[in-house]
Amino acid sequence: MKLKQTKVMLFLLTLVFTLIFRPSEARLDPSLDPNHLCSDDETTPVANLPGCFYAVRLAADQDIRWLSRDCCEAVKTLPDCLLLVFPYKALNTIILKRICVTKFPG
């Protein structure tokens, strides 16, 4: 290769590696991250209703019999985050909201 070709190749290689390994700025705000776990403050409405968190845990396993209308209203107030329903299983609150809308339309 000629010197000019080598310089162009080196420049392009540097450019590609810079674009690949540059940290993304799209997710700097943790509140916008859809993969963050719900905090205790965010789950307070569900935790304050007797049996609601247990019903949500069962709904995570497709058993929606125990979800009440009041519990679903509390679920609908949750922000978009991951609710830790079992020690190693988190469920997106968007899915829970959809379950509640399906069970109690309107």
Side-chain angles (χ1 to χ4, degrees), residues 13 24 26 45 47 70 75 81 86 93 95:
L13 189 64
S24 175
D70 292 335
V75 167
C81 57
F86 293 105
T93 55
I95 296 170

Side-chain angles (χ1 to χ4, degrees), residues 72 76 95-106:
C72 279
K76 289 177 187 178
I95 296 170
L96 289 173
K97 292 174 190 178
R98 193 169 299 143
I99 290 170
C100 284
V101 167
T102 302
K103 183 166 182 179
F104 300 107

Side-chain angles (χ1 to χ4, degrees), residues 6 10 16 18 26 28 40 44 55 58 61 70 88 91 94:
T6 305
L10 193 61
V16 168
T18 303
L28 289 179
D40 290 339
T44 301
L58 290 174
D61 287 330
D70 292 335
Y88 297 105
L91 189 63
I94 296 172

Side-chain angles (χ1 to χ4, degrees), residues 45 49 52 67-76 104:
L49 281 173
C52 184
L67 279 176
S68 65
R69 186 173 297 275
D70 292 335
C71 184
C72 279
E73 291 299 322
V75 167
K76 289 177 187 178
F104 300 107

